[in-house]
Amino acid sequence: MKLKLTILFSIILLSASAQNNVIDSLKLLLKTPISDSTKVKVLGDLCWYYSGISTDSAFYFGNAALDLSKKTKNLNGEAQAYNDFGIIHYKLSNFDTSISFYKKALLIRIKNKDSSGVGSLYNKMGISYQRIFKMDSAIYFNTKALEIFEKLKNIQYVALIKNNIANIYFNLKQYEKALTEHLEVAEIRTKINDEYGLVHSYTNIGNSYLYLKDTLQSLTYYKKGIEVGEKNNYEQELSALYNNYGGVLKDQNKYGEAIKMFDKSLKLRKKLNDSYGISSVALNMGDLYLQTGKINNAELKFREALYLANKTNANELKMNSYKSLLYLFAHKNNSDSVIHYQKLYSVMQDSIFNSRVTKEIAEIQEKYDTAQREKEISQQKEQLLKSELEIKNKNLYALLLGSGLLVFSIISFGLYKRQQHKKREYLNQLQLKEAQTYSKLQDQRLRISRDLHDNIGSQLTFIISSIDNLKYLTDATNEKLKNKLAEINQFASATIGQLRDTIWAMNKNEISYQDLQSRLLAFIEKAKTVATTIQFHFTSNIQSSNIVFSSIKGMNIFRVFQEAINNTIKYAEATEINILISETDNHINFEIHDNGKGFDINTINLGNGLENMQRRILEVGGKITVTSAPNNGTSIKIICPKNKTNAV
């Protein structure tokens, strides 16, 4: 019977090869008298092949494989079915669902002691977590997969997982480290002639060079990737390369060439039903339309990107969509929408880039590095023992001498390790104390900010409400009292606004430039409602993406802007206010100009307002210059130095 099955199987395979139709050959095989285990394998293969053609058919054959596996207690088949379901949901951008199926498969493969299968699932889980920007989980599972495949000496998988880890560094904005890792992976893939993996490496190297502002190298590697991808018809990879290449062309103002690349990418991603990828292309196309003044087209693309990002739970794409919509509505002078999307953007940004994630990733990476060092020490010991054995075969004297040296080395090494251990313990205790102190300080800041909000904020609100009630109880002819109550009401309302800004700063360890800019835009929108006769013009030429302020510095700069704009509104009788933010290699510059009536700096008393502005800027190590003359407006320029890490 087995011989007949083998002959029949061979005939079917030959027929399939002639027809070049694997799916038909597998369906024919199902109609033959085959064992349950073979049937499970065939159903699983059909599920896999259909996953790139028809989702409904893939689920049909996958469920059939799962049902038969459970019925016949075929654990390997059951694990494979769950694995295939995870792959299908990943291709549909249902990343949370794909992870749940991978976990079901993982439990079975661990039970079966299937090391290669376990490593493969760890790798897939790491990629899925990376797509939903849970980087602590992503690097944890990738590291576990790397340990397994290094032990199995599977070079192709080692390169694949190192590539995934490099992508995590990229997502955490550690571009130089990501580039180093990707170049190493590309070298491995070139040696083993892995063209499919090499396309991914060229894409990732191009991305890294792009964020390091080396556009020439970036385009070189994108072109290499497109050449290999088109040669082998790698549709998934080409869809990403076309999108990235188009993004560079867009930034070079080559809009016609850029939109052609975006269209190519969009066509492939729709064919692949890749919601995550379509969302990314939509964001790029929206930016292009915004730059070329096609506002309505831009809004449609941004909203499409946001819808798909929500559908796939892709947090980073959601954050970028909020940011794009914020700038679009600022361009349309829609203050309510600017404030709405600024809040959504800030919440999502805080959710993604928190210190806990970075800390946990560092701890996991340190564990892996420690394991690598211990492995190297173990290999060194093994080499010493081999040397000792060779010496023993030569003569007794050499054996005694070698043994003595070995014992001396072990004792010295033991003493060295003991000292290193004590040193590490001391450093760990010191770091723990620092972390505990920082945690207490952070808790204290949060408690104070809550007290300010809950107690003082509510009391000020009560005062405003009471004053409003007093207005109605006051004699209608007593205008002086009514004006006084109105002044107190206005002062209390302004105090609440300042209190909220203070709480905003206290709740953050640091303030990014993007966050500060969003806050300034929101303040300008509020100012427009008060100063309806003044035109505001805001320009930012900041190119650096990693400028970060301490909460104190960020708040001081924000307060100076408030004070400057409020002074202009109250006293300058201006019709225009121009705000420019720019940077040099060593400084970041803030400028506020108005066309008001100005004043003579040499004769006028500057007052507490300008003195407070000077004090605040001096506190952050900066310099402020006020220039004015009668009938020539007023200019305020602030220069703040950058430190070595490009943070302010």
Side-chain angles (χ1 to χ4, degrees):
M1 183 63 181
K2 289 184 178 178
L3 179 59
K4 289 181 180 179
L5 283 175
T6 303
I7 293 170
L8 181 59
F9 187 75
S10 300
I11 292 171
I12 293 172
L13 281 182
L14 287 171
S15 175
S17 176
Q19 297 175 11
N20 194 25
N21 193 331
V22 178
I23 290 177
D24 286 345
S25 71
L26 291 170
K27 286 182 176 180
L28 284 173
L29 187 58
L30 282 177
K31 297 177 181 180
T32 64
I34 56 177
S35 66
D36 287 336
S37 60
T38 303
K39 190 173 183 180
V40 166
K41 177 68 170 60
V42 172
L43 289 169
D45 288 346
L46 282 167
C47 172
W48 188 86
Y49 280 113
Y50 268 118
S51 67
I53 302 171
S54 169
T55 302
D56 292 338
S57 297
F59 278 123
Y60 171 79
F61 287 108
N63 281 312
L66 180 60
D67 292 341
L68 184 57
S69 297
K70 289 181 177 179
K71 182 179 177 181
T72 59
K73 298 182 180 179
N74 184 340
L75 291 177
N76 286 331
E78 189 177 344
Q80 187 60 45
Y82 288 135
N83 176 79
D84 291 340
F85 287 150
I87 292 172
I88 296 170
H89 281 288
Y90 179 86
K91 288 181 178 180
L92 294 172
S93 300
N94 301 327
F95 303 118
D96 287 324
T97 308
S98 73
I99 291 168
S100 67
F101 279 111
Y102 290 147
K103 286 181 177 178
K104 288 182 179 181
L106 181 64
L107 292 174
I108 299 173
R109 286 182 172 173
I110 289 174
K111 183 178 180 180
N112 288 347
K113 297 182 180 178
D114 178 6
S115 297
S116 180
V118 170
S120 177
L121 283 165
Y122 282 148
N123 172 47
K124 291 169 187 169
M125 291 169 69
I127 296 171
S128 294
Y129 276 118
Q130 186 176 345
R131 280 301 190 102
I132 58 178
F133 216 82
K134 292 184 178 179
M135 294 304 177
D136 50 350
S137 298
I139 199 166
Y140 172 78
F141 284 108
N142 273 297
T143 301
K144 288 178 74 69
L146 182 59
E147 291 171 350
I148 289 173
F149 287 113
E150 282 183 338
K151 189 175 181 179
L152 295 173
K153 297 182 180 179
N154 189 324
I155 303 301
Q156 189 167 3
Y157 263 95
V158 167
L160 174 66
I161 297 161
K162 280 181 174 287
N163 179 80
N164 295 339
I165 293 173
N167 282 336
I168 295 172
Y169 289 133
F170 180 89
N171 287 330
L172 293 170
K173 304 186 186 302
Q174 299 181 31
Y175 303 123
E176 290 185 357
K177 194 167 185 177
L179 176 61
T180 301
E181 293 289 328
H182 281 311
L183 288 169
E184 181 184 338
V185 172
E187 190 175 339
I188 295 172
R189 285 171 167 170
T190 301
K191 288 180 181 177
I192 64 177
N193 197 28
D194 179 11
E195 287 200 329
Y196 180 76
L198 206 53
V199 172
H200 287 277
S201 290
Y202 288 151
T203 302
N204 293 326
I205 292 169
N207 293 342
S208 299
Y209 274 121
L210 183 63
Y211 277 84
L212 289 169
K213 302 188 184 307
D214 191 340
T215 307
L216 183 62
Q217 284 282 34
S218 177
L219 289 174
T220 298
Y221 279 96
Y222 285 158
K223 289 177 182 177
K224 284 185 177 182
I226 290 173
E227 182 181 347
V228 178
E230 290 179 342
K231 170 187 169 185
N232 294 282
N233 196 28
Y234 295 146
E235 292 184 340
Q236 185 78 45
E237 292 66 33
L238 284 170
S239 69
L241 279 163
Y242 290 145
N243 186 34
N244 295 352
Y245 195 71
V248 178
L249 293 172
K250 179 196 70 177
D251 292 339
Q252 292 178 337
N253 298 330
K254 298 177 181 179
Y255 300 124
E257 296 176 52
I259 202 69
K260 289 179 182 178
M261 285 293 165
F262 292 147
D263 285 338
K264 281 186 175 183
S265 177
L266 194 59
K267 182 178 179 181
L268 286 175
R269 285 179 164 171
K270 285 182 177 179
K271 178 181 177 181
L272 296 167
N273 199 20
D274 179 7
S275 297
Y276 183 95
I278 295 170
S279 176
S280 177
V281 178
L283 275 175
N284 270 332
M285 296 179 81
D287 287 337
L288 186 150
Y289 288 136
L290 188 61
Q291 289 176 20
T292 55
K294 298 178 181 178
I295 305 302
N296 293 332
N297 290 344
E299 184 173 354
L300 287 173
K301 285 298 177 183
F302 290 151
R303 292 198 181 279
E304 179 186 3
L306 180 58
Y307 168 76
L308 292 171
N310 280 315
K311 179 181 175 183
T312 58
N313 196 25
N315 290 339
E316 187 176 22
L317 287 177
K318 275 196 259 185
M319 180 180 71
N320 291 336
S321 299
Y322 293 145
K323 183 179 178 182
S324 296
L325 285 165
L326 188 157
Y327 286 126
L328 181 137
F329 284 112
H331 188 84
K332 295 174 73 172
N333 291 323
N334 188 330
S335 58
D336 290 338
S337 295
V338 168
I339 294 168
H340 172 70
Y341 285 108
Q342 184 270 327
K343 288 179 180 178
L344 291 174
Y345 172 75
S346 297
V347 169
M348 185 58 67
Q349 187 182 51
D350 291 343
S351 172
I352 291 175
F353 298 104
N354 58 70
S355 58
R356 181 187 64 81
V357 172
T358 306
K359 181 180 178 182
E360 289 182 3
I361 289 174
E363 289 173 352
I364 294 168
Q365 186 64 41
E366 177 60 27
K367 288 179 182 177
Y368 173 73
D369 291 341
T370 301
Q372 288 293 93
R373 288 194 294 271
E374 290 176 353
K375 181 180 177 181
E376 291 171 2
I377 292 169
S378 176
Q379 291 172 345
Q380 291 172 4
K381 287 183 178 179
E382 183 179 353
Q383 187 60 42
L384 285 172
L385 291 172
K386 286 181 181 179
S387 300
E388 180 188 1
L389 184 61
E390 291 174 359
I391 294 171
K392 181 179 181 181
N393 291 333
K394 290 181 180 179
N395 53 66
L396 181 61
Y397 175 77
L399 172 64
L400 293 173
L401 179 61
S403 299
L405 288 172
L406 180 61
V407 171
F408 176 76
S409 298
I410 292 173
I411 292 173
S412 300
F413 182 74
L415 291 171
Y416 170 75
K417 290 296 291 181
R418 185 178 178 185
Q419 286 297 112
Q420 289 294 100
H421 180 69
K422 286 183 177 179
K423 184 178 179 181
R424 280 198 299 270
E425 278 191 341
Y426 172 75
L427 290 174
N428 288 338
Q429 290 174 357
L430 186 62
Q431 289 174 355
L432 179 61
K433 288 180 180 178
E434 289 177 351
Q436 289 173 341
T437 301
Y438 176 79
S439 178
K440 289 178 181 178
L441 286 171
Q442 184 65 10
D443 289 343
Q444 185 74 354
R445 289 172 64 193
L446 291 174
R447 185 187 64 78
I448 292 171
S449 68
R450 282 196 299 268
D451 287 346
L452 287 171
H453 181 273
D454 296 341
N455 296 331
I456 298 177
S458 62
Q459 290 171 12
L460 286 169
T461 303
F462 175 75
I463 290 171
I464 293 170
S465 177
S466 298
I467 291 170
D468 287 337
N469 290 334
L470 283 173
K471 287 180 182 178
Y472 292 107
L473 296 174
T474 304
D475 185 357
T477 60
N478 196 339
E479 288 298 327
K480 185 175 182 181
L481 178 57
K482 278 193 171 184
N483 291 337
K484 195 64 178 178
L485 288 173
E487 288 177 8
I488 296 171
N489 186 308
Q490 185 179 2
F491 176 77
S493 298
T495 303
I496 285 182
Q498 293 173 357
L499 180 63
R500 286 173 180 165
D501 291 332
T502 302
I503 292 172
W504 163 71
M506 289 184 68
N507 282 334
K508 293 178 176 291
N509 297 329
E510 56 186 27
I511 299 172
S512 67
Y513 170 74
Q514 290 83 359
D515 202 1
L516 178 62
Q517 179 176 304
S518 298
R519 202 76 180 179
L520 292 173
L521 286 170
F523 174 73
I524 290 169
E525 292 300 325
K526 290 180 182 177
K528 287 179 180 179
T529 63
V530 177
T532 55
T533 59
I534 298 178
Q535 291 291 323
F536 288 83
H537 304 282
F538 182 92
T539 305
S540 173
N541 296 327
I542 301 299
Q543 301 296 322
S544 303
S545 61
N546 58 343
I547 295 179
V548 178
F549 306 84
S550 69
S551 58
I552 294 175
K553 290 179 180 179
M555 176 52 69
N556 277 7
I557 293 171
F558 179 67
R559 288 294 189 216
V560 169
F561 264 86
Q562 280 186 313
E563 185 73 26
I565 291 174
N566 284 335
N567 284 347
T568 302
I569 293 171
K570 290 179 182 178
Y571 308 117
E573 298 179 9
T575 58
E576 284 189 11
I577 297 178
N578 291 286
I579 300 163
L580 172 64
I581 305 176
S582 60
E583 64 175 326
T584 64
D585 290 340
N586 300 315
H587 296 89
I588 180 167
N589 305 319
F590 304 86
E591 299 179 45
I592 305 169
H593 306 281
D594 68 61
N595 65 346
K597 62 183 182 180
F599 56 88
D600 188 343
I601 291 182
N602 297 320
T603 60
I604 197 168
N605 183 7
L606 296 182
N608 292 330
L610 289 174
E611 289 180 1
N612 286 337
M613 291 163 64
Q614 290 175 334
R615 176 179 55 78
R616 286 184 182 276
I617 297 304
L618 287 174
E619 282 181 2
V620 302
K623 180 181 178 182
I624 182 170
T625 305
V626 180
T627 306
S628 184
N631 300 319
N632 281 326
T634 301
S635 295
I636 298 175
K637 185 172 183 180
I638 302 164
I639 302 175
C640 289
K642 296 180 182 176
N643 61 23
K644 293 180 180 179
T645 61
N646 206 28
V648 176

